[in-house]
Amino acid sequence: MNQPNSSLAPSDLEGASSDTSFGDILTQFEQEHHLDKGQTLHGTVVAISAESIFVNIGRKTEGILPLAHFQERTSQETAKVGDQLVVSVTGRNEEGYYQLSTIKVERPRDWSALETAFTEKRTVAGTVTEVVKGGLRVDIGVRAFMPASRSGAREQADMEKLVGQEIQCRITKLDTAKEDVVVDRRVVLEEEETKTRVQAFERLKVDTVIRGTVRSLTDFGAFVDLGGFDGLLHVTDMSWTRTAKPADVVAVGDSIEVKILKINADTRRISLGLKQLIPDPWTVAATRYEAGQRVQGKVTRTTDFGAFVELEPGIEGMIHLSEMSWIKKVRKPSDVVKPDDQVDVVVLGVNAPEHRIALGLKQALGDPWDAAAQKYPVGSVAEGAITSMQKFGAFVDLGDGIEGMIHIGDISREKRLDHPQEMLKTGQKVKAQILELDRDRRRIRLGMKQLEPTSADEYIAEHQAGETVSGRIVDASPTKAKIELGEGVYATCRLEQSKSESGSAKAVSSGADISSLGAMLTAKWKSGAGGAAPEKEPLRAGQVRSFRLLAMDPAQKKIDVQLID
């Protein structure tokens, strides 16, 4: 689009004598078309660019009205060619165009108009004429004083720039008798700023993307200036990854694009989101991770109940305390893992809608109980350190996360204990025999006293099979007898009934005369060489007899003997 220009038309030179210089002609032209600052005119929109509106104000040179200024002063987004506007002149730019304003207020023409404007609190137009002590002098039809604090300027240099400009202000003091007038520009600027914010706020819509500037940071988020009003970017909406503090993501002064998440028209609060501008990684988590899968991640933080592991940016899983080790005595996660540790874990479950993935650390290490039966067979000897003690027994660390328990009754043969600490202490290394292993219940029963030498061990070590020994019968039955070979050493003797003993038994069972049977047995025992062999005396408790050692088993502490006398 071609912009209007301010060059002289050929008709402007008609009638000029040849003796007249071009400079004189130009001076005459400017005098005829000159406009004073603050002069109000009616104009017609002739062209519109991306930043300006060009207005025909009845002069050879058009005026330029900034589009942004037009939008602020009116509720319209833009003007149309042919629109009629009431404008005032604020100056001229380097290209010669008049600079225009849409100020629609008029200067009071007399004291009566001033009183009306003061009473009705109307906004009036004025021109800043000079800087004076404590403020500015303003021409609003009469001389008025504007305090520096009510000028809207923050520094002295800004006040000086106001000289020569047309402004809007409000009369705050009017004394017609003394011709004392005080005006306020700041209140008008604040009202315009409020109006602009309200209009901008009303144009906002949820789910739209808007650019703003980070104004300040707090522990819980960042306030973003959206152009006259702030929105809150909460720390949880900054990134899909866990953010410790807002300063890790944004800084004051950053220009960022954010998404409007929520608008509260009553409180004028706006919730913003930054992470919502990129896809949520959890939308593919259900297809990327499945139960039983082995993955690797970095520990981000630990809590009393577990540890969080980042599997990829934006996706965290949690290892519960119970899934950290096969050892039951883990009391806090920090005893096993620490932030920034790289760990191998197994996915136990995925709940994508709730953004949860359950992880297991001990499953990645392998269950040591799977090989416990082969590593710790019953009867074998294991060694480990005492980890803890209770009144009923002591727990022993066998390694690989497996603990065994020594019952208080299996600690010593020599004396009865009231508490394991009478013989053991935490951290002490001990040897114990595997007495029992329960894979399903994850229990191993150990015994220390089973490894102590017994009277049977010493007896077996000192004797050999085939030797003849003496023993006292403790108990006897028709088929076997329990024999005491020494203090605390017992053997088993298997018995065979003789025919005579069998007959005697039959006789007893048939009701024969017991006294006659006893006399007969005595006679046979006393008979000489020509008679039958004397019957062996029956076994009974308390007898001391001779036996032959048949077999001895050190592991089972078992001894078998044969009666020879």
Side-chain angles (χ1 to χ4, degrees), residues 78-137:
T78 186
K80 301 187 297 294
V81 174
D83 283 354
Q84 298 293 317
L85 301 177
V86 178
V87 295
S88 62
V89 179
T90 61
R92 298 185 74 168
N93 61 17
E94 296 176 354
E95 298 176 355
Y97 291 105
Y98 285 102
Q99 294 176 314
L100 305 177
S101 169
T102 57
I103 295 177
K104 296 183 179 180
V105 294
E106 298 181 356
R107 297 175 184 269
R109 298 180 181 274
D110 50 32
W111 285 99
S112 175
L114 288 172
E115 289 179 343
T116 301
F118 173 68
T119 303
E120 298 180 358
K121 296 183 179 181
R122 293 180 182 177
T123 300
V124 298
T127 301
V128 179
T129 58
E130 61 178 327
V131 178
V132 296
K133 182 179 180 180
L136 299 165
R137 187 72 65 190

Side-chain angles (χ1 to χ4, degrees), residues 288-411:
R288 187 172 298 177
Y289 301 99
E290 57 183 17
Q293 182 180 357
R294 187 185 183 99
V295 294
Q296 189 179 69
K298 183 179 73 172
V299 178
T300 57
R301 60 194 174 99
T302 59
T303 66
D304 292 339
F305 53 84
F308 288 88
V309 178
E310 184 183 56
L311 304 180
E312 62 178 87
I315 295 184
E316 279 189 343
M318 190 196 74
I319 309 172
H320 192 269
L321 183 63
S322 61
E323 304 296 345
M324 287 194 161
S325 174
W326 297 108
I327 303 175
K328 297 180 181 179
K329 298 299 184 291
V330 176
R331 305 192 185 282
K332 52 184 180 179
S334 57
D335 291 339
V336 182
V337 296
K338 291 178 173 54
D340 294 329
D341 283 355
Q342 292 289 333
V343 293
D344 288 326
V345 290
V346 172
V347 177
L348 304 181
V350 180
N351 188 336
E354 295 186 9
H355 292 191
R356 293 182 180 179
I357 295 181
L359 304 173
L361 180 63
K362 66 183 184 182
Q363 289 80 359
L365 303 175
D367 189 350
W369 284 92
D370 291 340
Q374 291 75 29
K375 191 172 182 179
Y376 307 105
V378 174
S380 64
V381 178
E383 183 177 6
I386 304 293
T387 58
S388 62
M389 288 184 284
Q390 301 292 333
K391 187 174 182 180
F392 56 83
F395 291 89
V396 180
D397 180 12
L398 300 179
D400 297 328
I402 294 181
E403 279 190 339
M405 193 272 289
I406 307 173
H407 191 270
I408 190 171
D410 291 317
I411 294 177

Side-chain angles (χ1 to χ4, degrees), residues 126 154 200 254 398 526:
R154 295 184 178 182
D254 284 354
L398 300 179
K526 291 181 178 181

